[in-house]
Amino acid sequence: MKKEKQEKKILYNFQQAALDKIKNFDNALLAAEMGTGKTLMSIEQSERWNSPALVCLVLKSTVQQWLDELESQTDRRVFNGYKKTKNDGIDAFIACSERKCIVIGYDAYKARCAKKLREYINANSNDVTMICDESSLISNMKSFRTKAVLKSNTAHKILLSGTPHGGRLENLLPTIQILGWPMTKEKFLQKFCDVYEWTNPARPWVTIPIIQGYKNIDELHRGLEQHGTVFLTMDEAGVELPERIEQKIKQKRTADYKKFMKNGIITIGDEEIIGDNSLTKMMRARQLCSIYNPERAAAVEELLLQAGTEPVVVFYNWIAELDILKSICERLKRPVSVVNGQGRDLSAYNTGTPGTVICVQYRAGSMGLNLQSSRICIFFSLPLSFSDFTQAKARVHRIGQNRNCIFYTIICEDSVEEDILYTLAERRDYSEQLFARTYGEIGGVAA
């Protein structure tokens, strides 16, 4: 059965004003706060440029959402980059002579399977516009994902992000290159970063720049604006969202956690948990606060009972956490929707089934997911990325939400979770270096 075409959306005045600021640029960055409608604005801007072909690079979990938006907002033939049929997919897109667009995930775009698409784009560069959703994903100049985007010659590129640098200004370097701002890495570090040159005592001829802080932020923002960036916050847009209520639920550390942090190794049941370096030790410490802490599951169960029949969004990190959540929902007879790296099933949520619990893995669903039918979020464990944490909250607290939102953060006292939450509150990522500095690095534990 043919799907009914959705009604075309009309831009708000603040969205029109934002696009007017970038109308004279070939490439642009929409650095707009989550919930301001970046997807709609980017599609409208691409239509203004009116290139025959439009390529949208997005999160794999949001492909269908983008396909639906493009179907309703444009008259283009819409293709799914993951399909391989006669009438859909990369080959069908390339063969099509009509106004067209294709939606594909970043990781698929950089892969061998999309080589034809990349070659087509470079051969027809004057006729192609590219939209890069959640452009913070192309922040590492050395990654294959970023290189694939930078090597794609297009007439226009539009980047979308609510957190374009994710708390690290040096992550803007690929964006600066795309915008056409002549700025080398060395000049960027000199002008906008406080850099300490670390010298390896064993190799004194080798120095490594370590960024300790940032400077001249206003000048950086002005430079970005002069090269096609529009910054947009909810306050600037005149959009008043409902109140956001943040509640911390504290739990005690377990004896196992204390023993592990002291020795770097512990046995729970038949499982041996080892932290033989700062990275694995940090991961295991976080898991001891959530997966291996019975109070964590009990707290989530209590919160779900309090929510009654309301839909509740629960963010998690590891599959073992999802297994715990599913077990709780089965015990409470709650329907479950899941968004993670293995797939996306929102059928229970979309049909409005009472009491649905939406389990969302940070990396797969903290960006580009609309869940404003919910107003309650539980963070089963914390992410290390400030961007992921902020984006997760914006899944429910966004345009279209008309009720106060409640965010429950469950943390163990005197643990790595408290340090992570403190660091995220400072709009910074929590890194392996921070952990090692605080807790020390365990070495030589594993046999």
Side-chain angles (χ1 to χ4, degrees):
M1 185 172 67
K2 187 176 180 180
K3 185 164 61 175
E4 184 178 349
K5 188 177 178 70
Q6 299 177 12
E7 185 177 350
K8 185 174 181 178
K9 300 173 185 175
I10 304 299
L11 292 179
Y12 291 102
N13 289 336
F14 74 85
Q15 293 172 323
Q16 293 276 11
L19 294 187
D20 287 343
K21 292 180 180 179
I22 59 174
K23 63 182 180 181
N24 296 322
F25 294 94
D26 287 333
N27 301 303
L29 164 63
L30 281 176
E33 195 170 16
M34 281 77 74
T36 52
K38 296 187 293 295
T39 300
L40 182 61
M41 285 191 281
S42 67
I43 293 174
E44 176 65 23
Q45 181 60 35
S46 70
E47 289 299 280
R48 292 181 181 184
W49 281 327
N50 199 30
S51 298
L54 173 63
V55 178
C56 300
L57 303 186
V58 306
L59 297 170
K60 186 177 181 180
S61 61
T62 65
V63 167
Q64 190 56 53
Q65 176 189 333
W66 274 88
L67 293 171
D68 293 341
E69 289 282 359
L70 289 161
E71 288 277 6
S72 64
Q73 293 299 123
T74 74
D75 60 358
R76 296 177 182 272
R77 282 279 307 277
V78 180
F79 296 88
N80 185 336
Y82 289 95
K83 301 292 184 180
K84 294 182 180 180
T85 66
K86 180 180 179 181
N87 298 317
D88 204 355
I90 292 175
D91 289 340
F93 169 80
I94 293 172
C96 179
S97 58
E98 307 171 42
R99 293 182 77 246
K100 57 190 178 180
C101 59
I102 187 168
V103 182
I104 188 170
Y106 282 101
D107 290 333
Y109 181 72
K110 71 176 175 62
R112 183 179 299 176
C113 61
K115 183 180 178 181
K116 285 184 182 178
L117 177 60
R118 298 194 300 271
E119 290 175 344
Y120 169 84
I121 290 169
N122 288 327
N124 299 274
S125 57
N126 292 333
D127 295 330
V128 179
T129 288
M130 176 177 284
I131 294 176
C132 299
D133 190 23
E134 304 299 351
S135 61
S136 58
L137 295 173
I138 51 172
S139 59
N140 183 353
M141 293 288 285
K142 295 181 179 180
S143 74
F144 290 113
R145 178 191 298 163
T146 302
K147 289 177 180 178
V149 174
L150 293 177
K151 290 179 180 179
S152 297
N153 298 318
T154 60
H156 308 283
K157 283 189 178 76
I158 183 164
L159 311 177
L160 313 179
S161 182
T163 52
H165 54 71
R168 298 172 62 89
L169 295 186
E170 61 272 25
N171 288 346
L172 286 169
L173 284 167
T175 295
I176 286 172
Q177 183 172 330
I178 290 171
L179 294 179
W181 186 0
M183 175 75 66
T184 63
K185 180 180 178 180
E186 291 72 21
K187 185 177 179 181
F188 183 91
L189 293 177
Q190 181 183 9
K191 198 170 187 63
F192 301 115
C193 302
D194 288 323
V195 180
Y196 165 70
E197 295 286 347
W198 179 77
T199 302
N200 187 342
R203 305 173 68 191
W205 59 90
V206 176
T207 60
I208 300 174
I210 298 176
I211 297 173
Q212 297 180 308
Y214 303 102
K215 59 187 178 181
N216 304 323
I217 305 301
D218 290 340
E219 184 179 347
L220 174 60
H221 277 218
R222 286 195 299 271
L224 288 169
E225 288 177 331
Q226 290 167 5
H227 291 85
T229 297
V230 57
F231 294 97
L232 181 64
T233 67
M234 286 292 193
D235 289 340
E236 292 167 341
V239 177
E240 291 189 14
L241 289 176
E243 184 181 357
R244 194 168 76 179
I245 302 165
E246 308 261 2
Q247 292 193 11
K248 282 195 292 186
I249 298 176
K250 293 192 174 183
Q251 300 176 330
K252 292 183 179 180
R253 299 181 305 179
T254 63
D256 289 333
Y257 178 90
K258 297 177 185 179
K259 184 178 178 181
F260 173 78
M261 294 306 291
K262 180 180 179 181
N263 302 320
I265 185 170
I266 194 172
T267 301
I268 299 179
D270 296 330
E271 185 176 359
E272 189 174 52
I273 297 173
I274 301 173
D276 55 355
N277 57 56
S278 60
L279 184 60
T280 57
K281 187 186 176 189
M282 176 172 61
M283 181 185 71
R284 288 305 201 176
R286 294 166 66 203
Q287 291 175 341
L288 283 165
C289 291
S290 62
I291 298 170
Y292 299 99
N293 188 340
E295 288 189 17
R296 184 63 50 96
V300 171
E301 186 167 338
E302 184 176 320
L303 291 172
L304 292 179
L305 287 170
Q306 289 178 14
T309 59
E310 286 202 54
V312 177
V313 182
V314 185
F315 283 94
Y316 70 95
N317 282 287
W318 297 283
I319 294 299
E321 293 178 334
L322 176 61
D323 293 338
I324 293 171
L325 292 170
K326 285 182 175 180
S327 177
I328 294 171
C329 292
E330 184 178 356
R331 189 161 55 251
L332 297 179
K333 294 182 170 53
R334 297 290 177 90
V336 178
S337 286
V338 177
V339 177
N340 59 24
Q342 281 69 53
R344 176 177 176 175
D345 177 12
L346 290 170
S347 53
Y349 171 77
N350 289 333
T351 56
T353 307
T356 297
V357 178
I358 308 97
C359 302
V360 183
Q361 195 171 32
Y362 284 104
R363 284 295 180 180
S366 64
M367 300 180 183
L369 197 62
N370 296 321
L371 299 171
Q372 55 268 61
S373 294
S374 309
R375 69 180 188 94
I376 301 173
C377 270
I378 301 171
F379 298 107
F380 192 90
S381 59
L382 291 169
L384 300 180
S385 162
F386 163 74
S387 175
D388 285 349
F389 194 44
T390 305
Q391 293 266 13
K393 293 179 180 179
R395 297 314 97 209
V396 300
H397 196 249
R398 58 194 298 114
I399 290 178
Q401 180 60 264
N402 52 24
R403 299 178 297 166
N404 291 344
C405 296
I406 306 175
F407 297 96
Y408 295 103
T409 303
I410 312 174
I411 57 171
C412 283
E413 295 180 296
D414 301 319
S415 76
V416 62
E417 287 191 321
E418 280 198 335
D419 296 333
I420 293 171
L421 187 60
Y422 176 81
T423 305
L424 294 176
E426 291 190 323
R427 305 174 67 86
R428 294 187 295 138
D429 293 347
Y430 192 84
S431 67
E432 180 184 359
Q433 287 74 21
L434 276 173
F435 182 87
R437 191 183 312 148
T438 303
Y439 295 101
E441 184 167 340
I442 296 293
V445 174

